[in-house]
PDB file of all heavy atoms in Angstrom:
ATOM      1  N   ARG A1130      -9.414   3.324  -4.286  1.00 90.00           N
ATOM      2  CA  ARG A1130      -8.027   3.148  -3.820  1.00 90.00           C
ATOM      3  C   ARG A1130      -7.400   4.494  -3.491  1.00 90.00           C
ATOM      4  O   ARG A1130      -6.642   4.624  -2.529  1.00 90.00           O
ATOM      5  CB  ARG A1130      -7.195   2.414  -4.869  1.00 90.00           C
ATOM      6  CG  ARG A1130      -7.438   0.921  -4.839  1.00 90.00           C
ATOM      7  CD  ARG A1130      -6.573   0.160  -5.788  1.00 90.00           C
ATOM      8  NE  ARG A1130      -6.949  -1.253  -5.766  1.00 90.00           N
ATOM      9  CZ  ARG A1130      -6.869  -2.066  -6.809  1.00 90.00           C
ATOM     10  NH1 ARG A1130      -6.410  -1.607  -7.968  1.00 90.00           N
ATOM     11  NH2 ARG A1130      -7.238  -3.329  -6.710  1.00 90.00           N
ATOM     12  N   ARG A1131      -7.699   5.487  -4.275  1.00 86.00           N
ATOM     13  CA  ARG A1131      -7.174   6.829  -4.001  1.00 86.00           C
ATOM     14  C   ARG A1131      -7.763   7.363  -2.687  1.00 86.00           C
ATOM     15  O   ARG A1131      -7.059   7.965  -1.880  1.00 86.00           O
ATOM     16  CB  ARG A1131      -7.546   7.777  -5.123  1.00 86.00           C
ATOM     17  CG  ARG A1131      -6.702   7.601  -6.368  1.00 86.00           C
ATOM     18  CD  ARG A1131      -7.124   8.599  -7.415  1.00 86.00           C
ATOM     19  NE  ARG A1131      -6.397   8.374  -8.656  1.00 86.00           N
ATOM     20  CZ  ARG A1131      -6.815   8.777  -9.830  1.00 86.00           C
ATOM     21  NH1 ARG A1131      -7.970   9.421  -9.930  1.00 86.00           N
ATOM     22  NH2 ARG A1131      -6.107   8.554 -10.908  1.00 86.00           N
ATOM     23  N   ILE A1132      -9.037   7.141  -2.517  1.00 88.00           N
ATOM     24  CA  ILE A1132      -9.679   7.597  -1.275  1.00 88.00           C
ATOM     25  C   ILE A1132      -9.078   6.847  -0.093  1.00 88.00           C
ATOM     26  O   ILE A1132      -8.829   7.424   0.973  1.00 88.00           O
ATOM     27  CB  ILE A1132     -11.207   7.374  -1.337  1.00 88.00           C
ATOM     28  CG1 ILE A1132     -11.816   8.238  -2.447  1.00 88.00           C
ATOM     29  CG2 ILE A1132     -11.857   7.688   0.001  1.00 88.00           C
ATOM     30  CD1 ILE A1132     -13.272   7.923  -2.735  1.00 88.00           C
ATOM     31  N   GLN A1133      -8.809   5.585  -0.310  1.00 90.00           N
ATOM     32  CA  GLN A1133      -8.212   4.774   0.736  1.00 90.00           C
ATOM     33  C   GLN A1133      -6.825   5.300   1.095  1.00 90.00           C
ATOM     34  O   GLN A1133      -6.450   5.360   2.269  1.00 90.00           O
ATOM     35  CB  GLN A1133      -8.110   3.329   0.262  1.00 90.00           C
ATOM     36  CG  GLN A1133      -7.721   2.341   1.352  1.00 90.00           C
ATOM     37  CD  GLN A1133      -7.677   0.925   0.829  1.00 90.00           C
ATOM     38  OE1 GLN A1133      -7.128   0.685  -0.247  1.00 90.00           O
ATOM     39  NE2 GLN A1133      -8.250   0.000   1.560  1.00 90.00           N
ATOM     40  N   ASP A1134      -6.066   5.707   0.087  1.00 87.00           N
ATOM     41  CA  ASP A1134      -4.736   6.275   0.332  1.00 87.00           C
ATOM     42  C   ASP A1134      -4.833   7.513   1.209  1.00 87.00           C
ATOM     43  O   ASP A1134      -4.059   7.706   2.146  1.00 87.00           O
ATOM     44  CB  ASP A1134      -4.052   6.647  -0.994  1.00 87.00           C
ATOM     45  CG  ASP A1134      -3.529   5.425  -1.726  1.00 87.00           C
ATOM     46  OD1 ASP A1134      -3.456   4.349  -1.098  1.00 87.00           O
ATOM     47  OD2 ASP A1134      -3.207   5.541  -2.928  1.00 87.00           O
ATOM     48  N   ARG A1135      -5.769   8.357   0.904  1.00 86.00           N
ATOM     49  CA  ARG A1135      -5.932   9.588   1.670  1.00 86.00           C
ATOM     50  C   ARG A1135      -6.393   9.282   3.097  1.00 86.00           C
ATOM     51  O   ARG A1135      -5.921   9.906   4.054  1.00 86.00           O
ATOM     52  CB  ARG A1135      -6.955  10.491   0.979  1.00 86.00           C
ATOM     53  CG  ARG A1135      -7.119  11.852   1.643  1.00 86.00           C
ATOM     54  CD  ARG A1135      -5.878  12.692   1.536  1.00 86.00           C
ATOM     55  NE  ARG A1135      -6.022  13.954   2.236  1.00 86.00           N
ATOM     56  CZ  ARG A1135      -5.077  14.865   2.352  1.00 86.00           C
ATOM     57  NH1 ARG A1135      -3.901  14.651   1.811  1.00 86.00           N
ATOM     58  NH2 ARG A1135      -5.281  15.979   2.996  1.00 86.00           N
ATOM     59  N   MET A1136      -7.279   8.316   3.212  1.00 90.00           N
ATOM     60  CA  MET A1136      -7.747   7.916   4.546  1.00 90.00           C
ATOM     61  C   MET A1136      -6.572   7.388   5.361  1.00 90.00           C
ATOM     62  O   MET A1136      -6.471   7.658   6.564  1.00 90.00           O
ATOM     63  CB  MET A1136      -8.835   6.844   4.418  1.00 90.00           C
ATOM     64  CG  MET A1136      -9.436   6.405   5.755  1.00 90.00           C
ATOM     65  SD  MET A1136     -10.311   7.716   6.630  1.00 90.00           S
ATOM     66  CE  MET A1136     -11.838   7.755   5.706  1.00 90.00           C
ATOM     67  N   GLU A1137      -5.698   6.674   4.718  1.00 91.00           N
ATOM     68  CA  GLU A1137      -4.537   6.138   5.435  1.00 91.00           C
ATOM     69  C   GLU A1137      -3.631   7.265   5.915  1.00 91.00           C
ATOM     70  O   GLU A1137      -3.015   7.162   6.970  1.00 91.00           O
ATOM     71  CB  GLU A1137      -3.763   5.176   4.544  1.00 91.00           C
ATOM     72  CG  GLU A1137      -4.509   3.867   4.380  1.00 91.00           C
ATOM     73  CD  GLU A1137      -3.639   2.771   3.816  1.00 91.00           C
ATOM     74  OE1 GLU A1137      -2.463   3.017   3.535  1.00 91.00           O
ATOM     75  OE2 GLU A1137      -4.165   1.663   3.647  1.00 91.00           O
ATOM     76  N   PHE A1138      -3.556   8.315   5.155  1.00 88.00           N
ATOM     77  CA  PHE A1138      -2.793   9.480   5.608  1.00 88.00           C
ATOM     78  C   PHE A1138      -3.401  10.046   6.890  1.00 88.00           C
ATOM     79  O   PHE A1138      -2.705  10.326   7.863  1.00 88.00           O
ATOM     80  CB  PHE A1138      -2.764  10.551   4.518  1.00 88.00           C
ATOM     81  CG  PHE A1138      -2.407  11.917   5.041  1.00 88.00           C
ATOM     82  CD1 PHE A1138      -1.111  12.204   5.417  1.00 88.00           C
ATOM     83  CD2 PHE A1138      -3.379  12.894   5.181  1.00 88.00           C
ATOM     84  CE1 PHE A1138      -0.782  13.455   5.931  1.00 88.00           C
ATOM     85  CE2 PHE A1138      -3.052  14.140   5.689  1.00 88.00           C
ATOM     86  CZ  PHE A1138      -1.754  14.429   6.067  1.00 88.00           C
ATOM     87  N   TYR A1139      -4.728  10.219   6.889  1.00 89.00           N
ATOM     88  CA  TYR A1139      -5.396  10.752   8.081  1.00 89.00           C
ATOM     89  C   TYR A1139      -5.176   9.824   9.272  1.00 89.00           C
ATOM     90  O   TYR A1139      -4.892  10.267  10.381  1.00 89.00           O
ATOM     91  CB  TYR A1139      -6.898  10.915   7.833  1.00 89.00           C
ATOM     92  CG  TYR A1139      -7.267  12.054   6.931  1.00 89.00           C
ATOM     93  CD1 TYR A1139      -8.242  11.898   5.955  1.00 89.00           C
ATOM     94  CD2 TYR A1139      -6.651  13.296   7.050  1.00 89.00           C
ATOM     95  CE1 TYR A1139      -8.593  12.946   5.122  1.00 89.00           C
ATOM     96  CE2 TYR A1139      -6.993  14.346   6.218  1.00 89.00           C
ATOM     97  CZ  TYR A1139      -7.967  14.168   5.262  1.00 89.00           C
ATOM     98  OH  TYR A1139      -8.311  15.201   4.439  1.00 89.00           O
ATOM     99  N   ILE A1140      -5.309   8.537   9.006  1.00 94.00           N
ATOM    100  CA  ILE A1140      -5.128   7.559  10.084  1.00 94.00           C
ATOM    101  C   ILE A1140      -3.706   7.639  10.633  1.00 94.00           C
ATOM    102  O   ILE A1140      -3.487   7.616  11.845  1.00 94.00           O
ATOM    103  CB  ILE A1140      -5.444   6.135   9.580  1.00 94.00           C
ATOM    104  CG1 ILE A1140      -6.951   5.997   9.347  1.00 94.00           C
ATOM    105  CG2 ILE A1140      -4.947   5.087  10.557  1.00 94.00           C
ATOM    106  CD1 ILE A1140      -7.373   4.706   8.681  1.00 94.00           C
ATOM    107  N   GLN A1141      -2.758   7.766   9.736  1.00 93.00           N
ATOM    108  CA  GLN A1141      -1.362   7.876  10.174  1.00 93.00           C
ATOM    109  C   GLN A1141      -1.168   9.115  11.054  1.00 93.00           C
ATOM    110  O   GLN A1141      -0.521   9.053  12.101  1.00 93.00           O
ATOM    111  CB  GLN A1141      -0.453   7.952   8.956  1.00 93.00           C
ATOM    112  CG  GLN A1141       1.028   7.977   9.315  1.00 93.00           C
ATOM    113  CD  GLN A1141       1.897   8.325   8.137  1.00 93.00           C
ATOM    114  OE1 GLN A1141       1.417   8.377   7.004  1.00 93.00           O
ATOM    115  NE2 GLN A1141       3.148   8.580   8.382  1.00 93.00           N
ATOM    116  N   GLU A1142      -1.744  10.232  10.638  1.00 90.00           N
ATOM    117  CA  GLU A1142      -1.606  11.468  11.424  1.00 90.00           C
ATOM    118  C   GLU A1142      -2.265  11.310  12.792  1.00 90.00           C
ATOM    119  O   GLU A1142      -1.708  11.726  13.812  1.00 90.00           O
ATOM    120  CB  GLU A1142      -2.242  12.644  10.679  1.00 90.00           C
ATOM    121  CG  GLU A1142      -1.518  13.050   9.404  1.00 90.00           C
ATOM    122  CD  GLU A1142      -0.135  13.610   9.662  1.00 90.00           C
ATOM    123  OE1 GLU A1142       0.008  14.607  10.388  1.00 90.00           O
ATOM    124  OE2 GLU A1142       0.830  13.014   9.127  1.00 90.00           O
ATOM    125  N   VAL A1143      -3.450  10.719  12.798  1.00 94.00           N
ATOM    126  CA  VAL A1143      -4.148  10.519  14.074  1.00 94.00           C
ATOM    127  C   VAL A1143      -3.307   9.643  14.994  1.00 94.00           C
ATOM    128  O   VAL A1143      -3.137   9.952  16.172  1.00 94.00           O
ATOM    129  CB  VAL A1143      -5.539   9.879  13.840  1.00 94.00           C
ATOM    130  CG1 VAL A1143      -6.119   9.330  15.136  1.00 94.00           C
ATOM    131  CG2 VAL A1143      -6.501  10.902  13.252  1.00 94.00           C
ATOM    132  N   GLN A1144      -2.774   8.576  14.441  1.00 95.00           N
ATOM    133  CA  GLN A1144      -2.007   7.649  15.269  1.00 95.00           C
ATOM    134  C   GLN A1144      -0.724   8.288  15.776  1.00 95.00           C
ATOM    135  O   GLN A1144      -0.336   8.105  16.937  1.00 95.00           O
ATOM    136  CB  GLN A1144      -1.707   6.365  14.475  1.00 95.00           C
ATOM    137  CG  GLN A1144      -2.954   5.519  14.272  1.00 95.00           C
ATOM    138  CD  GLN A1144      -2.735   4.323  13.382  1.00 95.00           C
ATOM    139  OE1 GLN A1144      -1.805   4.283  12.565  1.00 95.00           O
ATOM    140  NE2 GLN A1144      -3.598   3.330  13.508  1.00 95.00           N
ATOM    141  N   GLU A1145      -0.070   9.048  14.930  1.00 94.00           N
ATOM    142  CA  GLU A1145       1.180   9.694  15.352  1.00 94.00           C
ATOM    143  C   GLU A1145       0.917  10.752  16.416  1.00 94.00           C
ATOM    144  O   GLU A1145       1.618  10.815  17.431  1.00 94.00           O
ATOM    145  CB  GLU A1145       1.892  10.312  14.141  1.00 94.00           C
ATOM    146  CG  GLU A1145       2.570   9.256  13.269  1.00 94.00           C
ATOM    147  CD  GLU A1145       3.288   9.829  12.059  1.00 94.00           C
ATOM    148  OE1 GLU A1145       3.352  11.066  11.934  1.00 94.00           O
ATOM    149  OE2 GLU A1145       3.779   9.020  11.238  1.00 94.00           O
ATOM    150  N   TYR A1146      -0.086  11.575  16.192  1.00 93.00           N
ATOM    151  CA  TYR A1146      -0.383  12.606  17.182  1.00 93.00           C
ATOM    152  C   TYR A1146      -0.917  11.995  18.473  1.00 93.00           C
ATOM    153  O   TYR A1146      -0.614  12.467  19.564  1.00 93.00           O
ATOM    154  CB  TYR A1146      -1.396  13.620  16.624  1.00 93.00           C
ATOM    155  CG  TYR A1146      -0.749  14.724  15.842  1.00 93.00           C
ATOM    156  CD1 TYR A1146      -0.964  14.854  14.481  1.00 93.00           C
ATOM    157  CD2 TYR A1146       0.088  15.647  16.470  1.00 93.00           C
ATOM    158  CE1 TYR A1146      -0.356  15.869  13.752  1.00 93.00           C
ATOM    159  CE2 TYR A1146       0.702  16.661  15.749  1.00 93.00           C
ATOM    160  CZ  TYR A1146       0.472  16.762  14.395  1.00 93.00           C
ATOM    161  OH  TYR A1146       1.078  17.766  13.686  1.00 93.00           O
ATOM    162  N   ASP A1147      -1.701  10.918  18.323  1.00 94.00           N
ATOM    163  CA  ASP A1147      -2.239  10.274  19.521  1.00 94.00           C
ATOM    164  C   ASP A1147      -1.124   9.648  20.342  1.00 94.00           C
ATOM    165  O   ASP A1147      -1.110   9.732  21.573  1.00 94.00           O
ATOM    166  CB  ASP A1147      -3.266   9.215  19.117  1.00 94.00           C
ATOM    167  CG  ASP A1147      -4.046   8.708  20.317  1.00 94.00           C
ATOM    168  OD1 ASP A1147      -4.596   9.538  21.064  1.00 94.00           O
ATOM    169  OD2 ASP A1147      -4.102   7.483  20.528  1.00 94.00           O
ATOM    170  N   SER A1148      -0.187   9.065  19.640  1.00 95.00           N
ATOM    171  CA  SER A1148       0.958   8.442  20.308  1.00 95.00           C
ATOM    172  C   SER A1148       1.763   9.523  21.047  1.00 95.00           C
ATOM    173  O   SER A1148       2.159   9.350  22.201  1.00 95.00           O
ATOM    174  CB  SER A1148       1.817   7.725  19.270  1.00 95.00           C
ATOM    175  OG  SER A1148       3.009   7.284  19.835  1.00 95.00           O
ATOM    176  N   LEU A1149       1.967  10.634  20.359  1.00 94.00           N
ATOM    177  CA  LEU A1149       2.708  11.748  20.956  1.00 94.00           C
ATOM    178  C   LEU A1149       1.944  12.332  22.145  1.00 94.00           C
ATOM    179  O   LEU A1149       2.522  12.663  23.192  1.00 94.00           O
ATOM    180  CB  LEU A1149       2.905  12.827  19.879  1.00 94.00           C
ATOM    181  CG  LEU A1149       4.092  13.771  19.999  1.00 94.00           C
ATOM    182  CD1 LEU A1149       5.384  12.983  20.097  1.00 94.00           C
ATOM    183  CD2 LEU A1149       4.147  14.692  18.785  1.00 94.00           C
ATOM    184  N   TYR A1150       0.654  12.411  21.971  1.00 92.00           N
ATOM    185  CA  TYR A1150      -0.211  12.961  23.017  1.00 92.00           C
ATOM    186  C   TYR A1150      -0.125  12.085  24.266  1.00 92.00           C
ATOM    187  O   TYR A1150       0.045  12.582  25.383  1.00 92.00           O
ATOM    188  CB  TYR A1150      -1.649  13.045  22.510  1.00 92.00           C
ATOM    189  CG  TYR A1150      -2.687  13.312  23.574  1.00 92.00           C
ATOM    190  CD1 TYR A1150      -2.761  14.545  24.220  1.00 92.00           C
ATOM    191  CD2 TYR A1150      -3.599  12.332  23.939  1.00 92.00           C
ATOM    192  CE1 TYR A1150      -3.707  14.790  25.202  1.00 92.00           C
ATOM    193  CE2 TYR A1150      -4.545  12.571  24.917  1.00 92.00           C
ATOM    194  CZ  TYR A1150      -4.599  13.793  25.536  1.00 92.00           C
ATOM    195  OH  TYR A1150      -5.540  14.022  26.506  1.00 92.00           O
ATOM    196  N   ARG A1151      -0.197  10.792  24.076  1.00 92.00           N
ATOM    197  CA  ARG A1151      -0.143   9.872  25.227  1.00 92.00           C
ATOM    198  C   ARG A1151       1.239   9.893  25.880  1.00 92.00           C
ATOM    199  O   ARG A1151       1.364   9.778  27.104  1.00 92.00           O
ATOM    200  CB  ARG A1151      -0.512   8.462  24.777  1.00 92.00           C
ATOM    201  CG  ARG A1151      -1.975   8.353  24.434  1.00 92.00           C
ATOM    202  CD  ARG A1151      -2.411   6.971  24.012  1.00 92.00           C
ATOM    203  NE  ARG A1151      -3.736   7.024  23.433  1.00 92.00           N
ATOM    204  CZ  ARG A1151      -4.851   7.158  24.139  1.00 92.00           C
ATOM    205  NH1 ARG A1151      -4.807   7.239  25.448  1.00 92.00           N
ATOM    206  NH2 ARG A1151      -6.016   7.232  23.536  1.00 92.00           N
ATOM    207  N   GLU A1152       2.236  10.070  25.058  1.00 94.00           N
ATOM    208  CA  GLU A1152       3.609  10.144  25.587  1.00 94.00           C
ATOM    209  C   GLU A1152       3.750  11.400  26.450  1.00 94.00           C
ATOM    210  O   GLU A1152       4.305  11.360  27.549  1.00 94.00           O
ATOM    211  CB  GLU A1152       4.577  10.190  24.405  1.00 94.00           C
ATOM    212  CG  GLU A1152       6.043  10.237  24.751  1.00 94.00           C
ATOM    213  CD  GLU A1152       6.894  10.522  23.515  1.00 94.00           C
ATOM    214  OE1 GLU A1152       6.617   9.926  22.456  1.00 94.00           O
ATOM    215  OE2 GLU A1152       7.805  11.369  23.621  1.00 94.00           O
ATOM    216  N   TYR A1153       3.264  12.518  25.954  1.00 93.00           N
ATOM    217  CA  TYR A1153       3.332  13.768  26.703  1.00 93.00           C
ATOM    218  C   TYR A1153       2.489  13.680  27.970  1.00 93.00           C
ATOM    219  O   TYR A1153       2.869  14.206  29.017  1.00 93.00           O
ATOM    220  CB  TYR A1153       2.844  14.931  25.825  1.00 93.00           C
ATOM    221  CG  TYR A1153       3.939  15.602  25.044  1.00 93.00           C
ATOM    222  CD1 TYR A1153       4.684  14.896  24.098  1.00 93.00           C
ATOM    223  CD2 TYR A1153       4.246  16.944  25.248  1.00 93.00           C
ATOM    224  CE1 TYR A1153       5.690  15.508  23.386  1.00 93.00           C
ATOM    225  CE2 TYR A1153       5.259  17.567  24.531  1.00 93.00           C
ATOM    226  CZ  TYR A1153       5.966  16.843  23.610  1.00 93.00           C
ATOM    227  OH  TYR A1153       6.976  17.450  22.895  1.00 93.00           O
TER     228      TYR A1153
END
Side-chain angles (χ1 to χ4, degrees):
Chain A
R1130 281 184 184 148
R1131 283 181 185 158
I1132 296 171
Q1133 190 178 45
D1134 284 346
R1135 184 66 183 177
M1136 183 64 77
E1137 287 195 359
F1138 161 73
Y1139 287 138
I1140 289 172
Q1141 184 191 350
E1142 292 294 302
V1143 165
Q1144 289 174 337
E1145 285 180 5
Y1146 274 114
D1147 191 52
S1148 172
L1149 206 55
Y1150 167 69
R1151 290 181 192 284
E1152 181 190 317
Y1153 269 62

